[in-house]
Amino acid sequence: DVVLTQTPSILSATIGQSVSISCRSSQSLLDSDGNTYLYWFLQRPGQSPQRLIYLVSNLGSGVPNRFSGSGSGTDFTLKISGVEAEDLGVYYCMQATHAPWTFGGGTKLELK
Amino acid sequence: EVQLQQSGPEVGRPGSSVKISCKASGYTFTDYVMNWVKQSPGQGLEWIGWIDPEYGSTDYAEKFKKKATLTADTSSNTAYIQLSSLTSEDTATYFCARGSWELGFDYWGQGVMVTVSS
């Protein structure tokens, strides 16, 4: 199975600070069809996960543009340009290039 | 508005089975696969599998092939997951999530807590 390693596991930030989360894959996530099936989700405390980013860098509907995704192959990054209070929670990357689909272990974003 | 409404919390005895539902509305049910995701208490997310409601085809993560059975009823726009031979390891919250390869899991249900207890 593909292992997705997220770093850091805990991220402390102040409001307005820009932060980045890394997601590294044990295998390339570039599919033979040319797509890279890498997604990002945020799970706020007590809530269901919500999709932020699809196909590495595409912003989900209704997601603020302070979120951005980048990367290729095995290395991917989620950036938040100016953390707001509503951004606190656990972030997960997920891949759907290789079966079974797998999630990263999560990065908890908390207030410093 | 797309909504996925899941059934209520379940308590199952060890060795028994439970069946959770996920009723979809606001879109054409057969246009998307339905995924199921497990979250054990205080832990991360695990993909269980998906079902294509149009054809009834399924795919499971290996570790859930003998544990979970995914079905869908197109007449009621409802997807189901049945968990069998329950053990304490099955105590978790189970989410349904609408999916497509292009868009990922774009809508999620509210989750159902399953507690295995004698």
Side-chain angles (χ1 to χ4, degrees):
Chain A
D1 297 0
V2 171
V3 176
L4 298 180
T5 302
Q6 288 185 233
T7 55
S9 54
I10 300 176
L11 185 54
S12 296
T14 57
I15 300 300
Q17 183 180 353
S18 291
V19 298
S20 293
I21 299 170
S22 170
C23 175
R24 287 190 169 177
S25 174
S26 60
Q27 299 179 37
S28 174
L29 300 184
L30 176 62
D31 193 75
S32 57
D33 65 6
N35 286 321
T36 299
Y37 297 103
L38 188 282
Y39 315 91
W40 289 95
F41 300 89
L42 163 61
Q43 187 175 31
R44 298 186 176 98
Q47 295 187 17
S48 305
Q50 67 170 98
R51 184 200 59 181
L52 299 174
I53 301 284
Y54 62 97
L55 297 180
V56 179
S57 59
N58 295 276
L59 205 61
S61 175
V63 177
N65 60 13
R66 62 180 179 273
F67 291 93
S68 62
S70 63
S72 63
T74 60
D75 289 343
F76 303 91
T77 301
L78 176 71
K79 182 177 181 179
I80 310 173
S81 299
V83 169
E84 297 192 6
E86 65 179 17
D87 301 337
L88 303 184
V90 182
Y91 290 81
Y92 295 95
C93 57
M94 192 202 89
Q95 68 83 25
T97 298
H98 303 284
W101 302 351
T102 50
F103 288 90
T107 294
K108 184 177 182 180
L109 177 61
E110 59 183 27
L111 275 181
K112 188 181 292 183
Chain B
E1 179 192 7
V2 174
Q3 290 190 342
L4 300 177
Q5 183 65 39
Q6 296 187 241
S7 47
E10 296 274 357
V11 178
R13 295 191 182 278
S16 70
S17 298
V18 295
K19 192 171 186 178
I20 300 165
S21 66
C22 171
K23 184 171 176 58
S25 61
Y27 72 99
T28 302
F29 185 55
T30 51
D31 281 353
Y32 296 82
V33 301
M34 189 68 76
N35 291 272
W36 291 87
V37 175
K38 176 183 180 182
Q39 186 168 40
S40 299
Q43 302 301 308
L45 304 172
E46 276 188 283
W47 176 71
I48 296 171
W50 57 254
I51 183 166
D52 183 337
E54 182 172 13
Y55 301 107
S57 53
T58 55
D59 190 23
Y60 298 86
E62 188 67 34
K63 70 174 289 187
F64 291 104
K65 283 184 177 178
K66 294 183 178 180
K67 172 60 62 179
T69 302
L70 305 184
T71 57
D73 179 356
T74 56
S75 68
S76 62
N77 292 343
T78 303
Y80 300 91
I81 180 171
Q82 179 166 316
L83 303 168
S84 61
S85 304
L86 293 174
T87 72
S88 59
E89 298 288 305
D90 300 318
T91 292
T93 297
Y94 293 83
F95 297 98
C96 59
R98 188 183 85 163
S100 69
W101 274 262
E102 290 73 26
L103 300 178
F105 299 177
D106 57 351
Y107 289 91
W108 293 65
Q110 80 274 23
V112 173
M113 181 68 199
V114 173
T115 304
V116 181
S117 173
S118 55

